[in-house]
Amino acid sequence: MTEKVFIFDTTLRDGEQSPGCSMNFDEKLEMARQLERLNVDILEAGFPIASQGDFDAVVAIAAEIRRPVIVALARANQLDIDRAWAALKESARPRIHTFLATSDIHLQYKLHKTREQVLKQIAFAVGYAHSLCADVEFSPEDAGRTDRSYLIECCHVAVEAGATTLNLPDTVGYCMEPEYEKMFRDVKEGVPGMDKVILSTHTHDDLGMGVANTLAGIRGGARQVECTINGIGERAGNAALEEIAMAIRVRADVLPVHTDIRTEELYPASQLLTRLTGVAVQRNKAIVGRNAFAHEAGIHQDGVLKNAITYEIITPQTIGMPSNDIVLGKHSGRHALAKRYEELGYPLSKPELEQAYQLFSTLADRKKNIYDEDLLAIVNAGFEHLPETYSLKLLQSVASNEGRATATVELEKDGETFHDSATAEGPCDAAFRAVDRITGTPGTIVDFTVHTVGPGTDGVAEVGIRARFEGREFIGKSTSHNVVEAAARAYLQAANKAVYELKRAEENAAVASGSVHENKAVDRFFPQGF
Ligand code: KIV
Ligand code: ZN
């Protein structure tokens, strides 16, 4: 058996902190559950000192996700470490991850500290973390640009103070493969006691070298790799988990190591992240991009038909990507639908199945062939786990190439129906403005994406919207044959989230100020008065 490389997922920390990828509490928990299904070894759940939301998410993940090691990030000071430990306490397998920059550039311009001071701070922080938690990881931030002998000194101090994992980040994505590999060899050889310590990679993609450097780190002796789903992360992103896992699996002949990743969960993980963040991967993205298995050139198609091995080094099934075969039709029932979703890696709850079935039936009435892609588009549009304050009953829109577009919208709330109309430059905008007039919470579109799903001219439009309401951003997604309808539904979904969250924030503020009794919040979830 080859040596194992431990997969450390940081989608919910380094990934989540990148612009456009933020997730709320429920979304982080949903993602954490999928990461557990994917069988990651270590899951970095957040940076608890950064915000109350981050703290709460780490607490909840630590309490629910029991198999992987759960990590909380902390700067190298007592306050951060205490906060990380407080968030991790309920975890079955907690780890504190503390970091401090070690390159001269960071010491001089960011920390304004001497090398000596930084060494002392490492000794204190790692020692303090170790006094609380047996499993401690230390990262010398910007290791890639740190003077090598000083880096070895920093690592030595961290190991002596109790670090059990040493992570060597290429924080700014600057390293080339041979340099990154050598850094691992140097630290392994230069730091005493490394037989009891795991070395870890952490690479960024600024020069497009993230995954290549991770593999170089493994060649240099790393046995933990830090990465994110879809490669999301600061600036150009982190190394993509799916690319690392598949490179190791496909090329075990040159890289004789293995991971315990369940590769058939890679595509569902990628899709889920896209749904939660509204950030789609590019079509030609390795492993999980829509075109990753599409053969357009005739010569390729011919080869694949004769034997897939001619142009395919991975099968779509290996990563859990659904096939393009027709799977269901107009006469399929709930049972068949539930079964197919289960096979696709989406076990649906009863209310979710009901929502999915309604959307499926509408689609099947208009579209002859339903493919897995259509089914995924339905779940990826997202089920409303939050109460749907307003639901769309009717949309009428008129647009022409001359003059403004008009939309009339009918929404229902608590059994009451509301109508309104608006005009704008385009039909989608007119529909959004009509929704705003009813909800009274106007939004501004930050991002608007439209994709067609499935082959043929009867493809479905999948619309993703990120909109700002009262300074906060919310995501909505929907699918329909009619692009304007999909856009209106996606916008309404985002607006419903905004209405719900803003009301919740108001209630929390009222509780905090003492003007409302605390049970108010409980009443909302248990209206029968539990
Ligand atoms: O890129 C980096 O250096 C980091 C550290 C906090 C590990 O994300
Ligand atoms: Zn990073």
Side-chain angles (χ1 to χ4, degrees):
M1 186 68 164
T2 55
E3 269 188 75
K4 172 170 167 167
V5 169
F6 289 81
I7 299 290
F8 177 120
D9 179 274
T10 183
T11 305
L12 295 174
R13 200 279 297 169
D14 219 355
E16 202 265 348
Q17 78 192 35
S18 66
C21 292
S22 56
M23 287 173 250
N24 67 25
F25 178 88
D26 292 328
E27 291 165 343
K28 284 182 187 171
L29 257 180
E30 201 175 342
M31 193 66 216
R33 290 184 192 119
Q34 176 59 27
L35 292 170
E36 189 173 37
R37 280 195 285 276
L38 183 61
N39 213 24
V40 303
D41 300 287
I42 302 133
L43 193 166
E44 190 161 49
F47 189 7
I49 196 93
S51 69
Q52 186 63 38
D54 247 40
F55 180 86
D56 293 343
V58 177
V59 170
I61 291 169
E64 183 182 320
I65 308 293
R66 308 307 282 175
R67 197 202 46 76
V69 171
I70 304 296
V71 182
L73 185 70
R75 284 167 301 188
N77 66 61
Q78 185 166 348
L79 209 66
D80 275 40
I81 293 169
D82 281 339
R83 195 82 177 134
W85 182 236
L88 282 175
K89 269 205 174 125
E90 294 303 315
S91 170
R93 304 175 67 194
R95 175 184 296 180
I96 297 175
H97 176 191
T98 186
F99 70 100
L100 185 62
T102 51
S103 67
D104 287 334
I105 299 171
H106 279 237
L107 263 59
Q108 185 178 347
Y109 297 108
K110 188 179 84 173
L111 299 177
H112 306 295
K113 288 195 166 152
T114 63
R115 286 185 174 189
E116 215 29 62
Q117 286 171 317
V118 165
L119 283 174
K120 281 205 180 108
Q121 197 175 334
I122 294 171
F124 166 76
V126 175
Y128 183 63
H130 189 60
S131 73
L132 303 171
C133 179
D135 190 348
V136 176
E137 172 167 333
F138 173 68
S139 291
E141 193 190 4
D142 205 16
R145 292 190 299 171
T146 300
D147 171 74
R148 190 59 45 87
S149 58
Y150 180 60
L151 178 68
I152 289 172
E153 230 181 308
C154 292
C155 291
H156 188 181
V157 166
V159 170
E160 288 216 312
T164 42
T165 301
L166 275 182
N167 177 41
L168 306 181
D170 180 18
T171 303
V172 290
Y174 178 76
C175 292
M176 290 288 145
E177 288 169 85
E179 293 170 317
Y180 198 60
E181 178 176 339
K182 186 163 185 309
M183 176 162 64
F184 284 83
R185 294 192 189 285
D186 290 346
V187 169
K188 219 173 151 129
E189 277 162 26
V191 178
M194 284 304 291
D195 49 323
K196 289 181 219 72
V197 176
I198 294 245
L199 273 175
S200 171
T201 66
H202 181 111
T203 58
H204 282 268
D205 214 24
D206 299 66
L207 294 175
M209 303 293 292
V211 172
N213 280 340
T214 297
L215 301 179
I218 294 173
R219 287 196 295 274
R223 288 297 175 264
Q224 173 183 290
V225 294
E226 302 195 354
C227 44
T228 60
I229 299 295
N230 294 346
I232 64 166
E234 284 284 356
R235 308 177 309 277
N238 290 56
L241 186 154
E242 60 278 5
E243 295 178 24
I244 297 167
M246 288 314 296
I248 289 176
R249 180 170 162 157
V250 173
R251 296 312 309 271
D253 55 329
V254 287
L255 208 56
V257 290
H258 72 276
T259 75
D260 282 345
I261 287 296
R262 287 191 195 115
T263 59
E264 61 286 0
E265 292 293 343
L266 287 170
Y267 190 70
S270 165
Q271 290 282 302
L272 176 64
L273 186 65
T274 295
R275 163 158 79 79
L276 297 178
T277 60
V279 178
V281 295
Q282 84 248 24
R283 275 181 175 262
N284 62 332
K285 160 95 176 60
I287 316 298
V288 291
R290 228 175 241 196
N291 287 359
F293 297 93
H295 301 278
E296 198 63 33
I299 192 167
H300 286 209
Q301 288 174 350
D302 179 56
V304 168
L305 287 174
K306 285 176 176 148
N307 189 335
I309 202 172
T310 50
Y311 287 101
E312 257 181 24
I313 58 166
I314 308 165
T315 65
Q317 293 79 0
T318 319
I319 61 147
M321 189 184 258
S323 74
N324 254 346
D325 299 339
I326 301 162
V327 286
L328 296 173
K330 198 175 167 153
H331 303 293
S332 309
R334 286 176 178 74
H335 185 72
L337 188 66
K339 189 160 172 292
R340 188 62 199 147
Y341 271 123
E342 232 175 273
E343 286 163 3
L344 291 173
Y346 289 84
L348 301 184
S349 67
K350 256 193 159 175
E352 284 172 345
L353 177 63
E354 199 45 47
Q355 284 187 59
Y357 186 73
Q358 296 310 328
L359 294 167
F360 165 77
S361 304
T362 313
L363 189 60
D365 274 343
R366 300 180 191 173
K367 190 172 190 273
K368 199 164 142 231
N369 300 325
I370 306 286
Y371 302 88
D372 279 341
E373 280 180 312
D374 296 314
L375 300 184
L376 285 180
I378 288 173
V379 283
N380 287 340
F383 301 121
E384 282 299 289
H385 293 293
L386 300 177
E388 195 187 32
T389 313
Y390 293 94
S391 55
L392 181 72
K393 293 292 155 204
L394 181 86
L395 166 74
Q396 281 175 330
S397 78
V398 183
S400 93
N401 60 338
E402 287 177 8
R404 287 164 72 78
T406 309
T408 300
V409 162
E410 186 180 304
L411 302 184
E412 194 181 277
K413 180 188 171 197
D414 300 333
E416 210 183 325
T417 307
F418 302 84
H419 297 263
D420 220 319
S421 305
T423 59
E425 290 305 321
C428 295
D429 199 24
F432 304 159
R433 300 295 71 96
V435 167
D436 286 349
R437 288 167 71 95
I438 297 174
T439 62
T441 311
T444 312
I445 301 294
V446 177
D447 199 22
F448 184 121
T449 56
V450 185
H451 294 287
T452 50
V453 179
T457 48
D458 64 348
V460 174
E462 184 181 86
V463 174
I465 281 179
R466 177 179 285 271
R468 191 175 299 116
F469 297 84
E470 297 195 9
R472 287 183 58 189
E473 288 182 13
F474 296 90
I475 291 167
K477 273 196 147 201
S478 190
T479 53
S480 170
H481 263 84
N482 177 334
V483 180
V484 183
E485 183 191 339
R489 287 189 185 280
Y491 183 77
L492 185 62
Q493 196 180 78
N496 270 330
K497 287 182 188 170
V499 168
Y500 174 82
E501 288 286 339
L502 295 171
K503 189 164 160 241
R504 202 167 80 135
E506 244 173 56
E507 283 175 11
N508 286 346
V511 169
S513 73
S515 62
V516 176
H517 190 268
E518 188 125 23
N519 277 346
K520 242 292 57 193
V522 175
D523 292 345
R524 190 160 34 78
F525 290 105
F526 302 107
Q528 283 85 24
F530 259 66

